[in-house]
Amino acid sequence: MSTLPFRDLRLDDHGRLVLTDLNGAEHVGVTPVRAHPISAPDEGVSLVGVHGHELAWVPRLSGLPEAPRQLLQQELAAREFHPVLKRLISVNTFATPSTWRIETDRGEIDFVLKSEEDIRRLEEGRLLITSTHGLQLQVPDRWALDKGSKRLLERFL
């Protein structure tokens, strides 16, 4: 008996995710959604149909065979755009709203921080910073940032 929560997972000719469930029914336009994208990204992925109903539950991504795991990881990466803040270059003011110039793992960007509440503290020195446009930036370890970045960031924490 298969331990997979589905029979097949593939992309169709239009780039949509197609799930064949355990009963053999095909569902086109499936969306993978992590249960805990920040705290446990490998654990709990729901495969949701176009009508918002869960079609399959993947308890652990790493438990899937390589092909469906890679496909889901690619789909999730395209859906979950969270650049990593590597360095805080400058801040135009220490009052909010303020414009930040930062270096991310995807290049330099400017964004506006509306209020200090948009900096979410997570466990183990991790932060999630949300810009006024809804872009979420990850800081995996605020203690590992360079001295200048830490000094600027501390003014907002």
Side-chain angles (χ1 to χ4, degrees):
M1 179 166 198
S2 173
T3 59
L4 283 177
F6 48 82
R7 281 192 190 174
D8 188 41
L9 192 63
R10 63 180 176 81
L11 291 178
D12 69 6
D13 293 337
H14 302 287
R16 296 175 298 188
L17 197 58
V18 179
L19 174 114
T20 304
D21 66 23
L22 295 174
N23 297 322
E26 277 198 353
H27 303 273
V28 179
V30 172
T31 303
V33 179
R34 291 186 207 264
H36 307 285
I38 303 297
S39 61
D42 186 55
E43 297 177 21
V45 175
S46 179
L47 300 175
V48 179
V50 293
H51 299 293
H53 298 287
E54 183 176 271
L55 302 170
W57 175 257
V58 178
R60 186 174 287 278
L61 272 175
S62 59
L64 290 175
E66 185 175 348
R69 182 181 69 246
Q70 285 184 351
L71 181 56
L72 283 176
Q73 287 172 332
Q74 290 169 357
E75 291 292 307
L76 287 162
R79 192 169 193 274
E80 301 169 342
F81 179 67
H82 297 288
V84 175
L85 186 146
K86 295 173 71 175
R87 185 169 64 101
L88 184 50
I89 299 167
S90 65
V91 176
N92 74 333
T93 180
F94 292 114
T96 53
S98 60
T99 301
W100 292 28
R101 179 156 213 32
I102 63 169
E103 178 185 339
T104 74
D105 59 337
R106 301 172 192 241
E108 287 187 13
I109 62 168
D110 292 333
F111 75 94
V112 175
L113 181 73
K114 184 174 53 179
S115 74
E116 288 87 358
E117 288 80 38
D118 292 327
I119 301 175
R120 193 167 136 207
R121 295 176 193 211
L122 305 171
E123 70 281 346
E124 301 169 7
R126 296 184 320 139
L127 301 172
L128 189 64
I129 303 171
T130 305
S131 77
T132 56
H133 296 295
L135 175 65
Q136 293 186 323
L137 299 147
Q138 293 183 54
V139 179
D141 181 2
R142 76 182 211 210
W143 310 116
L145 292 172
D146 65 272
K147 187 176 180 180
S149 296
K150 284 192 277 194
R151 187 174 44 246
L152 288 172
L153 185 60
E154 285 300 319
R155 299 276 209 123
F156 293 92
L157 295 175

